[in-house]
């Protein structure tokens, strides 16, 4: 059996369902799935050093409005550490699942203040079915509608007006994402749903949050402390959002019952961001979203090397491989979310196929 697809000329073609196995063989033979222990041990060693530097700077500056500058530094460092926790959670660092789990627990819960169990539960479902309505949790956000069903569920005129302009509000709302991530983590560890290592997660989260708040309020007066926390959480949330938003927003959304082969499902729903090594560092490798979704355990430094091979493979098998510039991607996200809010967008339509239809056979 194969999956029927539409190629650029409009002709129909049967793609074998084991085509991903062929690609995986090519990638494995190239050595791109091998561990990068030196790279990751260097980053792991840098985590306590970077945090210690931030704490020393924080204490040295003292009770001053200049702490808003250190708040930005904390937000940046926490996000970079979260990227490293993301790598560990995807088994990119060690061969041992246990080592990766504990690395994720220490990095996520103890250093960043985000529950690894909460993230794993949510992110695993996203990877299994990206942009699938009713299944992908990243489509179910309380403040943004991504499908017409979500839009029509609101009847309040003020809410409908806000939704019709939601693309412009989307990025400012990311300033609250940092607070939301911490709150969701705390809520998850105390929920009744099953969670592995719940006592460890609770202890790590309590220690991290209590120690961080104690440091802030012991050094700063309440007003400066509140401003510091607002800036730090705002930078953390905005940085995280700006890194994750371009990956899938504005790409095809499919119905819950739609069946696609693995290669098509992961590539068609993902978008790469073109850039250099600086962008790779700033986005934690998330700019190679296609490669990451196809091979989640591939070490971050190999994603750039794998991209040309995967792009050529997708072209040879008529699988649309999407990449764009960073600024352009934000424009796509804004316009798409606004179109959904205005009721002008069929969320089940594929933008790539729409473009081909407009061009003609």
């Amino acid at each position: 059996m194969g999956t029927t697809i539409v190629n650029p000329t409009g002709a129909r073609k049967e793609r074998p369902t084991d085509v991903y196995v062929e690609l995986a063989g090519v990638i494995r033979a190239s050595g791109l799935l091998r561990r990068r222990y030196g790279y990751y041990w260097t980053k792991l060693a840098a985590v306590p050093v970077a945090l210690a530097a931030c704490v020393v700077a924080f204490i040295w500056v003292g009770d001053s409005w200049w702490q808003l500058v250190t708040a930005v530094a904390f937000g940046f460092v926490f996000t970079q550490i979260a990227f490293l926790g993301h790598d560990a959670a995807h088994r990119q660092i060690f061969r041992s699942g246990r080592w990766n789990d504990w690395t994720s627990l220490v990095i996520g819960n103890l250093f960043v203040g985000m529950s690894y169990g909460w993230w794993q539960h949510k992110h695993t479902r996203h990877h299994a079915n990206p942009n699938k309505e009713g299944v992908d949790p990243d489509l179910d956000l309380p403040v943004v509608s991504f499908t017409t069903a979500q839009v029509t569920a609101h009847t309040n005129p003020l809410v409908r007006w806000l939704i019709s302009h939601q693309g412009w509000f989307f990025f400012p709302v990311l300033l609250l994402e940092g607070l939301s991530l911490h709150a969701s983590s705390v809520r998850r560890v105390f929920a009744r749903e099953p969670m592995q290592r719940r006592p460890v997660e609770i202890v790590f989260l309590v220690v991290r949050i209590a120690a961080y708040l104690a440091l802030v309020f012991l050094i700063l007066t309440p007003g400066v402390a509140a401003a510091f926390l607002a800036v730090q959480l705002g930078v953390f949330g905005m940085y995280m959002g700006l890194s994750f938003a371009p990956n899938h927003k504005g790409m095809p959304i499919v119905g819950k019952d739609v069946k696609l082969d693995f290669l098509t499902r992961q590539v068609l729903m993902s978008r790469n961001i073109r850039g250099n090594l600086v962008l790779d560092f700033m986005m934690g490798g998330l700019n190679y979203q296609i490669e990451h979704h196809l091979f989640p355990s591939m070490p971050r430094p190999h994603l750039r090397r794998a991209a040309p091979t995967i792009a050529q493979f997708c072209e040879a098998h008529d699988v649309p491989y999407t990449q764009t510039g960073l600024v352009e991607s934000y424009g796509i996200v804004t316009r798409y979310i606004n179109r959904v809010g205005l009721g002008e967008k069929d969320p089940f339509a594929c933008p790539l196929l729409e473009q081909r239809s407009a061009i003609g056979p």
Side-chain angles (χ1 to χ4, degrees):
M1 294 293 291
T3 299
T4 302
I5 63 170
V6 179
N7 65 21
T9 64
R12 302 179 71 83
K13 176 181 178 180
E14 291 291 326
R15 180 165 57 251
T17 54
D18 63 352
V19 67
Y20 174 75
V21 177
E22 179 186 348
L23 174 61
V26 173
I27 294 298
R28 188 175 294 105
S30 66
L32 295 175
L33 295 179
R34 294 174 184 168
R35 307 297 170 181
R36 290 291 300 271
Y37 292 113
Y39 173 87
Y40 279 116
W41 275 116
T42 300
K43 281 191 169 291
L44 289 171
V47 169
V49 173
L51 280 181
C54 287
V55 170
V56 169
F58 180 84
I59 296 173
W60 179 75
V61 172
D63 187 27
S64 166
W65 288 103
W66 283 105
Q67 289 287 13
L68 300 187
V69 177
T70 61
V72 174
F74 268 103
F76 176 84
V77 170
F78 283 142
T79 306
Q80 284 291 323
I81 295 174
F83 290 156
L84 186 60
H86 173 263
D87 290 0
H90 278 296
R91 307 296 193 258
Q92 294 179 19
I93 299 181
F94 303 107
R95 291 186 180 276
S96 167
R98 183 180 178 85
W99 275 56
N100 282 301
D101 284 340
W102 278 98
T103 300
S104 299
L105 282 166
V106 172
I107 289 177
N109 293 59
L110 194 59
F111 285 129
V112 181
M114 285 174 53
S115 165
Y116 166 55
W118 165 77
W119 180 90
Q120 185 183 46
H121 176 72
K122 175 178 180 291
H123 201 64
T124 299
R125 289 183 292 147
H126 160 70
H127 264 264
N129 292 283
N131 277 18
K132 176 174 279 194
E133 189 179 32
V135 181
D136 183 358
D138 287 0
L139 293 179
D140 188 19
L141 301 182
V143 295
V144 180
S145 297
F146 294 107
T147 69
T148 53
Q150 293 172 343
V151 172
T152 56
H154 299 281
T155 57
N156 184 286
L158 177 59
V159 175
R160 292 297 295 268
W161 183 87
L162 290 172
I163 291 175
S164 68
H165 297 79
Q166 63 180 354
W168 304 112
F169 298 136
F170 177 70
F171 292 100
V173 164
L174 293 178
L175 291 169
L176 301 175
E177 180 66 9
L179 182 61
S180 175
L181 291 172
H182 291 302
S184 297
S185 295
V186 172
R187 185 165 55 248
R188 170 65 175 157
V189 297
F190 288 105
R192 295 183 178 181
E193 290 84 355
M195 172 181 282
Q196 292 184 344
R197 304 185 181 92
R198 185 188 302 274
V200 175
E201 293 228 18
I202 292 176
V203 170
F204 280 3
L205 276 180
V206 169
V207 168
R208 192 280 186 187
I209 294 173
Y212 187 60
L213 291 178
L215 174 68
V216 172
F217 284 97
L218 284 174
I219 300 295
L220 307 180
T221 53
V224 179
F228 172 88
L229 290 173
V231 172
Q232 186 267 295
L233 289 170
V235 170
F236 176 63
M238 180 64 75
Y239 190 0
M240 290 282 283
L242 290 177
S243 299
F244 280 91
N247 300 341
H248 304 283
K249 303 297 183 288
M251 296 303 290
I253 294 178
V254 298
K256 185 175 182 178
D257 298 326
V258 173
K259 304 294 184 181
L260 296 171
D261 66 275
F262 182 79
L263 180 71
T264 302
R265 180 169 70 247
Q266 301 299 340
V267 177
L268 189 62
M269 312 307 170
S270 305
R271 177 192 298 115
N272 276 13
I273 306 300
R274 289 190 298 267
N276 50 29
L277 292 175
V278 174
L279 185 67
D280 293 357
F281 169 77
M282 293 298 294
M283 296 191 70
L286 296 174
N287 47 317
Y288 298 105
Q289 195 65 196
I290 295 174
E291 287 68 33
H292 173 59
H293 263 255
L294 288 173
F295 302 98
S297 64
M298 180 181 290
R300 190 195 310 180
H302 288 168
L303 296 173
R304 168 177 280 270
R305 293 173 53 195
T309 299
I310 293 176
Q312 292 173 9
F313 186 91
C314 288
E315 181 180 4
H317 290 80
D318 295 316
V319 182
Y321 182 100
T322 303
Q323 56 181 337
T324 185
L326 182 62
V327 176
E328 183 182 357
S329 73
Y330 294 143
I332 293 171
V333 171
T334 300
R335 290 190 297 272
Y336 174 81
I337 296 176
N338 270 340
R339 289 177 64 192
V340 172
L342 289 169
E344 298 177 0
K345 180 65 181 176
D346 175 5
F348 299 102
C350 170
L352 294 163
L353 296 182
E354 288 180 345
Q355 294 172 11
R356 292 172 183 170
S357 297
I359 295 173

